[in-house]
Amino acid sequence: MTVANLVHSNIVHSRCSVYKTESFQTRKTRKCTASVLIFTVFLAGFLYVFATNNIAVKGYKIRSLQKQANELDTINKSLQVEVSNLKSINVLEAMSEDLEMVKAQKIEYVSLPKVSAMK
């Protein structure tokens, strides 16, 4: 082998090793990037499922509370009707007869002299 052949083989050999190290580093970078990308996709999927589940649970609770509010509204209205019925004159009159109360015959009103607060 001549010096030219040795130099040429050494240059080719050094170039090949440079290309090999660059390709190894690029492969390593690509693997790292792919790993990060896959991890990000799985994390995003997990967060999506978690958020969707959270929204579904809150929607169920809201519907349950709305149903309960409607039931309480209905009960409230029926209680208001019952209160107004119990306050009616006819019911009070019937209750006074059951308790053997006597009607007032003559009503007298007492009027007090006006007293001023500033003396």
Side-chain angles (χ1 to χ4, degrees), residues 12-33:
V12 170
H13 182 65
S14 66
R15 283 186 183 170
C16 288
S17 66
V18 169
Y19 289 129
K20 285 182 184 178
T21 57
E22 286 179 27
S23 65
F24 175 73
Q25 288 176 351
T26 56
R27 276 189 255 150
K28 187 176 178 182
T29 305
R30 285 182 186 169
K31 283 184 181 180
C32 184
T33 305

PDB file of all heavy atoms in Angstrom, residues 12-33:
ATOM      1  N   VAL A  12     -11.434   8.008   4.347  1.00  0.00           N
ATOM      2  CA  VAL A  12     -12.720   7.320   4.159  1.00  0.00           C
ATOM      3  C   VAL A  12     -13.163   6.719   5.485  1.00  0.00           C
ATOM      4  O   VAL A  12     -14.334   6.820   5.872  1.00  0.00           O
ATOM      5  CB  VAL A  12     -12.608   6.235   3.062  1.00  0.00           C
ATOM      6  CG1 VAL A  12     -13.849   5.364   3.034  1.00  0.00           C
ATOM      7  CG2 VAL A  12     -12.381   6.878   1.713  1.00  0.00           C
ATOM      8  N   HIS A  13     -12.219   6.117   6.193  1.00  0.00           N
ATOM      9  CA  HIS A  13     -12.546   5.503   7.470  1.00  0.00           C
ATOM     10  C   HIS A  13     -12.996   6.562   8.484  1.00  0.00           C
ATOM     11  O   HIS A  13     -13.965   6.367   9.214  1.00  0.00           O
ATOM     12  CB  HIS A  13     -11.330   4.741   8.010  1.00  0.00           C
ATOM     13  CG  HIS A  13     -11.598   4.040   9.303  1.00  0.00           C
ATOM     14  ND1 HIS A  13     -12.498   3.006   9.403  1.00  0.00           N
ATOM     15  CD2 HIS A  13     -11.101   4.236  10.549  1.00  0.00           C
ATOM     16  CE1 HIS A  13     -12.545   2.590  10.652  1.00  0.00           C
ATOM     17  NE2 HIS A  13     -11.686   3.334  11.369  1.00  0.00           N
ATOM     18  N   SER A  14     -12.329   7.702   8.534  1.00  0.00           N
ATOM     19  CA  SER A  14     -12.708   8.749   9.476  1.00  0.00           C
ATOM     20  C   SER A  14     -14.054   9.364   9.093  1.00  0.00           C
ATOM     21  O   SER A  14     -14.854   9.720   9.940  1.00  0.00           O
ATOM     22  CB  SER A  14     -11.623   9.822   9.560  1.00  0.00           C
ATOM     23  OG  SER A  14     -11.507  10.506   8.343  1.00  0.00           O
ATOM     24  N   ARG A  15     -14.307   9.482   7.801  1.00  0.00           N
ATOM     25  CA  ARG A  15     -15.606  10.012   7.366  1.00  0.00           C
ATOM     26  C   ARG A  15     -16.725   9.044   7.727  1.00  0.00           C
ATOM     27  O   ARG A  15     -17.795   9.452   8.149  1.00  0.00           O
ATOM     28  CB  ARG A  15     -15.604  10.266   5.854  1.00  0.00           C
ATOM     29  CG  ARG A  15     -14.862  11.509   5.473  1.00  0.00           C
ATOM     30  CD  ARG A  15     -15.014  11.773   3.998  1.00  0.00           C
ATOM     31  NE  ARG A  15     -14.241  12.931   3.610  1.00  0.00           N
ATOM     32  CZ  ARG A  15     -14.031  13.283   2.366  1.00  0.00           C
ATOM     33  NH1 ARG A  15     -14.529  12.560   1.381  1.00  0.00           N
ATOM     34  NH2 ARG A  15     -13.334  14.344   2.086  1.00  0.00           N
ATOM     35  N   CYS A  16     -16.483   7.799   7.558  1.00  0.00           N
ATOM     36  CA  CYS A  16     -17.499   6.799   7.887  1.00  0.00           C
ATOM     37  C   CYS A  16     -17.812   6.822   9.369  1.00  0.00           C
ATOM     38  O   CYS A  16     -18.972   6.724   9.776  1.00  0.00           O
ATOM     39  CB  CYS A  16     -17.043   5.397   7.485  1.00  0.00           C
ATOM     40  SG  CYS A  16     -17.037   5.135   5.705  1.00  0.00           S
ATOM     41  N   SER A  17     -16.811   6.964  10.210  1.00  0.00           N
ATOM     42  CA  SER A  17     -17.058   6.995  11.647  1.00  0.00           C
ATOM     43  C   SER A  17     -17.811   8.261  12.036  1.00  0.00           C
ATOM     44  O   SER A  17     -18.644   8.244  12.930  1.00  0.00           O
ATOM     45  CB  SER A  17     -15.744   6.877  12.424  1.00  0.00           C
ATOM     46  OG  SER A  17     -14.948   8.016  12.196  1.00  0.00           O
ATOM     47  N   VAL A  18     -17.537   9.380  11.354  1.00  0.00           N
ATOM     48  CA  VAL A  18     -18.272  10.612  11.625  1.00  0.00           C
ATOM     49  C   VAL A  18     -19.724  10.430  11.244  1.00  0.00           C
ATOM     50  O   VAL A  18     -20.632  10.805  11.980  1.00  0.00           O
ATOM     51  CB  VAL A  18     -17.644  11.809  10.865  1.00  0.00           C
ATOM     52  CG1 VAL A  18     -18.552  13.025  10.921  1.00  0.00           C
ATOM     53  CG2 VAL A  18     -16.276  12.125  11.428  1.00  0.00           C
ATOM     54  N   TYR A  19     -19.975   9.828  10.103  1.00  0.00           N
ATOM     55  CA  TYR A  19     -21.354   9.592   9.676  1.00  0.00           C
ATOM     56  C   TYR A  19     -22.053   8.627  10.620  1.00  0.00           C
ATOM     57  O   TYR A  19     -23.214   8.785  10.935  1.00  0.00           O
ATOM     58  CB  TYR A  19     -21.411   9.055   8.247  1.00  0.00           C
ATOM     59  CG  TYR A  19     -21.044  10.077   7.206  1.00  0.00           C
ATOM     60  CD1 TYR A  19     -20.100   9.803   6.232  1.00  0.00           C
ATOM     61  CD2 TYR A  19     -21.643  11.325   7.201  1.00  0.00           C
ATOM     62  CE1 TYR A  19     -19.755  10.738   5.282  1.00  0.00           C
ATOM     63  CE2 TYR A  19     -21.302  12.278   6.255  1.00  0.00           C
ATOM     64  CZ  TYR A  19     -20.365  11.973   5.293  1.00  0.00           C
ATOM     65  OH  TYR A  19     -20.029  12.893   4.364  1.00  0.00           O
ATOM     66  N   LYS A  20     -21.309   7.632  11.084  1.00  0.00           N
ATOM     67  CA  LYS A  20     -21.915   6.663  11.992  1.00  0.00           C
ATOM     68  C   LYS A  20     -22.279   7.325  13.316  1.00  0.00           C
ATOM     69  O   LYS A  20     -23.342   7.084  13.857  1.00  0.00           O
ATOM     70  CB  LYS A  20     -20.953   5.492  12.231  1.00  0.00           C
ATOM     71  CG  LYS A  20     -20.878   4.545  11.073  1.00  0.00           C
ATOM     72  CD  LYS A  20     -19.958   3.388  11.400  1.00  0.00           C
ATOM     73  CE  LYS A  20     -19.793   2.473  10.191  1.00  0.00           C
ATOM     74  NZ  LYS A  20     -18.872   1.375  10.450  1.00  0.00           N
ATOM     75  N   THR A  21     -21.413   8.157  13.843  1.00  0.00           N
ATOM     76  CA  THR A  21     -21.736   8.814  15.114  1.00  0.00           C
ATOM     77  C   THR A  21     -22.875   9.806  14.935  1.00  0.00           C
ATOM     78  O   THR A  21     -23.739   9.913  15.786  1.00  0.00           O
ATOM     79  CB  THR A  21     -20.516   9.530  15.704  1.00  0.00           C
ATOM     80  OG1 THR A  21     -20.019  10.473  14.762  1.00  0.00           O
ATOM     81  CG2 THR A  21     -19.437   8.560  16.100  1.00  0.00           C
ATOM     82  N   GLU A  22     -22.904  10.503  13.813  1.00  0.00           N
ATOM     83  CA  GLU A  22     -24.011  11.423  13.575  1.00  0.00           C
ATOM     84  C   GLU A  22     -25.314  10.662  13.435  1.00  0.00           C
ATOM     85  O   GLU A  22     -26.331  11.051  13.988  1.00  0.00           O
ATOM     86  CB  GLU A  22     -23.749  12.261  12.326  1.00  0.00           C
ATOM     87  CG  GLU A  22     -22.699  13.333  12.523  1.00  0.00           C
ATOM     88  CD  GLU A  22     -22.460  14.126  11.256  1.00  0.00           C
ATOM     89  OE1 GLU A  22     -23.393  14.214  10.426  1.00  0.00           O
ATOM     90  OE2 GLU A  22     -21.357  14.651  11.103  1.00  0.00           O
ATOM     91  N   SER A  23     -25.304   9.576  12.721  1.00  0.00           N
ATOM     92  CA  SER A  23     -26.533   8.817  12.537  1.00  0.00           C
ATOM     93  C   SER A  23     -26.959   8.180  13.864  1.00  0.00           C
ATOM     94  O   SER A  23     -28.143   8.077  14.148  1.00  0.00           O
ATOM     95  CB  SER A  23     -26.372   7.757  11.453  1.00  0.00           C
ATOM     96  OG  SER A  23     -25.418   6.786  11.857  1.00  0.00           O
ATOM     97  N   PHE A  24     -26.004   7.768  14.682  1.00  0.00           N
ATOM     98  CA  PHE A  24     -26.328   7.215  15.995  1.00  0.00           C
ATOM     99  C   PHE A  24     -26.978   8.291  16.865  1.00  0.00           C
ATOM    100  O   PHE A  24     -27.987   8.035  17.528  1.00  0.00           O
ATOM    101  CB  PHE A  24     -25.069   6.672  16.681  1.00  0.00           C
ATOM    102  CG  PHE A  24     -25.304   6.199  18.076  1.00  0.00           C
ATOM    103  CD1 PHE A  24     -25.988   5.019  18.314  1.00  0.00           C
ATOM    104  CD2 PHE A  24     -24.858   6.941  19.159  1.00  0.00           C
ATOM    105  CE1 PHE A  24     -26.218   4.589  19.610  1.00  0.00           C
ATOM    106  CE2 PHE A  24     -25.085   6.525  20.455  1.00  0.00           C
ATOM    107  CZ  PHE A  24     -25.764   5.342  20.683  1.00  0.00           C
ATOM    108  N   GLN A  25     -26.423   9.509  16.821  1.00  0.00           N
ATOM    109  CA  GLN A  25     -27.000  10.600  17.613  1.00  0.00           C
ATOM    110  C   GLN A  25     -28.376  10.989  17.091  1.00  0.00           C
ATOM    111  O   GLN A  25     -29.292  11.270  17.868  1.00  0.00           O
ATOM    112  CB  GLN A  25     -26.063  11.806  17.610  1.00  0.00           C
ATOM    113  CG  GLN A  25     -24.819  11.589  18.442  1.00  0.00           C
ATOM    114  CD  GLN A  25     -23.840  12.758  18.347  1.00  0.00           C
ATOM    115  OE1 GLN A  25     -24.025  13.644  17.529  1.00  0.00           O
ATOM    116  NE2 GLN A  25     -22.811  12.721  19.182  1.00  0.00           N
ATOM    117  N   THR A  26     -28.540  11.000  15.795  1.00  0.00           N
ATOM    118  CA  THR A  26     -29.862  11.344  15.248  1.00  0.00           C
ATOM    119  C   THR A  26     -30.875  10.251  15.583  1.00  0.00           C
ATOM    120  O   THR A  26     -32.025  10.561  15.875  1.00  0.00           O
ATOM    121  CB  THR A  26     -29.808  11.570  13.727  1.00  0.00           C
ATOM    122  OG1 THR A  26     -29.270  10.417  13.101  1.00  0.00           O
ATOM    123  CG2 THR A  26     -29.006  12.798  13.388  1.00  0.00           C
ATOM    124  N   ARG A  27     -30.444   8.993  15.546  1.00  0.00           N
ATOM    125  CA  ARG A  27     -31.349   7.909  15.929  1.00  0.00           C
ATOM    126  C   ARG A  27     -31.729   8.029  17.403  1.00  0.00           C
ATOM    127  O   ARG A  27     -32.890   7.839  17.770  1.00  0.00           O
ATOM    128  CB  ARG A  27     -30.705   6.544  15.670  1.00  0.00           C
ATOM    129  CG  ARG A  27     -30.879   6.086  14.233  1.00  0.00           C
ATOM    130  CD  ARG A  27     -30.440   4.666  14.074  1.00  0.00           C
ATOM    131  NE  ARG A  27     -29.148   4.716  13.391  1.00  0.00           N
ATOM    132  CZ  ARG A  27     -28.163   3.853  13.518  1.00  0.00           C
ATOM    133  NH1 ARG A  27     -28.300   2.819  14.319  1.00  0.00           N
ATOM    134  NH2 ARG A  27     -27.044   3.990  12.864  1.00  0.00           N
ATOM    135  N   LYS A  28     -30.766   8.360  18.218  1.00  0.00           N
ATOM    136  CA  LYS A  28     -31.013   8.524  19.647  1.00  0.00           C
ATOM    137  C   LYS A  28     -31.988   9.681  19.877  1.00  0.00           C
ATOM    138  O   LYS A  28     -32.925   9.580  20.670  1.00  0.00           O
ATOM    139  CB  LYS A  28     -29.692   8.779  20.374  1.00  0.00           C
ATOM    140  CG  LYS A  28     -29.801   8.793  21.861  1.00  0.00           C
ATOM    141  CD  LYS A  28     -28.426   8.950  22.496  1.00  0.00           C
ATOM    142  CE  LYS A  28     -28.532   9.019  24.000  1.00  0.00           C
ATOM    143  NZ  LYS A  28     -27.234   9.218  24.638  1.00  0.00           N
ATOM    144  N   THR A  29     -31.783  10.772  19.152  1.00  0.00           N
ATOM    145  CA  THR A  29     -32.664  11.933  19.256  1.00  0.00           C
ATOM    146  C   THR A  29     -34.073  11.578  18.785  1.00  0.00           C
ATOM    147  O   THR A  29     -35.060  11.958  19.413  1.00  0.00           O
ATOM    148  CB  THR A  29     -32.116  13.106  18.427  1.00  0.00           C
ATOM    149  OG1 THR A  29     -30.780  13.374  18.838  1.00  0.00           O
ATOM    150  CG2 THR A  29     -32.961  14.350  18.589  1.00  0.00           C
ATOM    151  N   ARG A  30     -34.152  10.842  17.697  1.00  0.00           N
ATOM    152  CA  ARG A  30     -35.461  10.434  17.174  1.00  0.00           C
ATOM    153  C   ARG A  30     -36.181   9.519  18.160  1.00  0.00           C
ATOM    154  O   ARG A  30     -37.392   9.649  18.369  1.00  0.00           O
ATOM    155  CB  ARG A  30     -35.310   9.733  15.834  1.00  0.00           C
ATOM    156  CG  ARG A  30     -35.008  10.671  14.700  1.00  0.00           C
ATOM    157  CD  ARG A  30     -34.913   9.941  13.403  1.00  0.00           C
ATOM    158  NE  ARG A  30     -34.491  10.830  12.332  1.00  0.00           N
ATOM    159  CZ  ARG A  30     -34.128  10.438  11.143  1.00  0.00           C
ATOM    160  NH1 ARG A  30     -34.099   9.159  10.847  1.00  0.00           N
ATOM    161  NH2 ARG A  30     -33.781  11.323  10.231  1.00  0.00           N
ATOM    162  N   LYS A  31     -35.445   8.590  18.759  1.00  0.00           N
ATOM    163  CA  LYS A  31     -36.054   7.688  19.741  1.00  0.00           C
ATOM    164  C   LYS A  31     -36.557   8.477  20.950  1.00  0.00           C
ATOM    165  O   LYS A  31     -37.657   8.230  21.451  1.00  0.00           O
ATOM    166  CB  LYS A  31     -35.049   6.628  20.206  1.00  0.00           C
ATOM    167  CG  LYS A  31     -34.838   5.511  19.220  1.00  0.00           C
ATOM    168  CD  LYS A  31     -33.897   4.463  19.804  1.00  0.00           C
ATOM    169  CE  LYS A  31     -33.647   3.351  18.815  1.00  0.00           C
ATOM    170  NZ  LYS A  31     -32.748   2.325  19.350  1.00  0.00           N
ATOM    171  N   CYS A  32     -35.763   9.424  21.389  1.00  0.00           N
ATOM    172  CA  CYS A  32     -36.155  10.250  22.527  1.00  0.00           C
ATOM    173  C   CYS A  32     -37.387  11.084  22.178  1.00  0.00           C
ATOM    174  O   CYS A  32     -38.336  11.171  22.960  1.00  0.00           O
ATOM    175  CB  CYS A  32     -34.995  11.147  22.940  1.00  0.00           C
ATOM    176  SG  CYS A  32     -35.347  12.125  24.407  1.00  0.00           S
ATOM    177  N   THR A  33     -37.391  11.657  21.002  1.00  0.00           N
ATOM    178  CA  THR A  33     -38.533  12.458  20.550  1.00  0.00           C
ATOM    179  C   THR A  33     -39.781  11.591  20.425  1.00  0.00           C
ATOM    180  O   THR A  33     -40.869  11.994  20.836  1.00  0.00           O
ATOM    181  CB  THR A  33     -38.214  13.133  19.191  1.00  0.00           C
ATOM    182  OG1 THR A  33     -37.016  13.892  19.328  1.00  0.00           O
ATOM    183  CG2 THR A  33     -39.351  14.024  18.743  1.00  0.00           C
TER     184      THR A  33
END
